[in-house]
Amino acid sequence: MELGKNLPEIEYVSVFSTTESAKVRALSAEATVKNDIIVLNLFYNGNHRIKAYATTDKEDAFKVAKQIAEILKIDILDATEAESKWI
């Protein structure tokens, strides 16, 4: 299957930092564990998005984003810092 064949027309890929939460239970105790992750979203039709990839490695996230951007011929929005920028 060719990548992009069944996708809507993707406008750009966004790379951003977020926190992922998971509940951990053991016997009568419960805790919420938070992990910092980097997520790649593919945006289309303005504000619609498809979560494409998640990792804990920022370098890996940008490597994958560049591969996706090259294949789909789209731009990358770096939203990992307070000020987002196009790359």
Side-chain angles (χ1 to χ4, degrees), residues 2-81:
E2 182 181 338
L3 181 61
K5 186 175 181 178
N6 296 319
L7 289 174
E9 187 171 333
I10 304 298
E11 297 165 11
Y12 64 95
V13 59
S14 171
V15 181
F16 72 99
S17 301
T18 189
T19 303
E20 181 179 63
S21 298
K23 289 194 185 236
V24 178
R25 293 187 180 115
L27 300 174
S28 62
E30 181 179 300
T32 300
V33 178
K34 294 186 178 192
N35 296 310
D36 293 331
I37 61 170
I38 310 289
V39 176
L40 304 184
N41 281 331
L42 305 178
F43 279 84
Y44 65 98
N45 289 343
N47 233 8
H48 294 87
R49 67 181 178 264
I50 299 168
K51 183 176 177 181
Y53 189 69
T55 183
T56 56
D57 184 340
K58 190 173 181 179
E59 187 177 312
D60 178 53
F62 279 100
K63 180 181 172 188
V64 172
K66 288 175 184 174
Q67 291 172 340
I68 291 171
E70 185 177 304
I71 291 167
L72 297 178
K73 297 179 180 23
I74 56 174
D75 293 325
I76 300 170
L77 179 63
D78 178 355
T80 60
E81 304 295 331

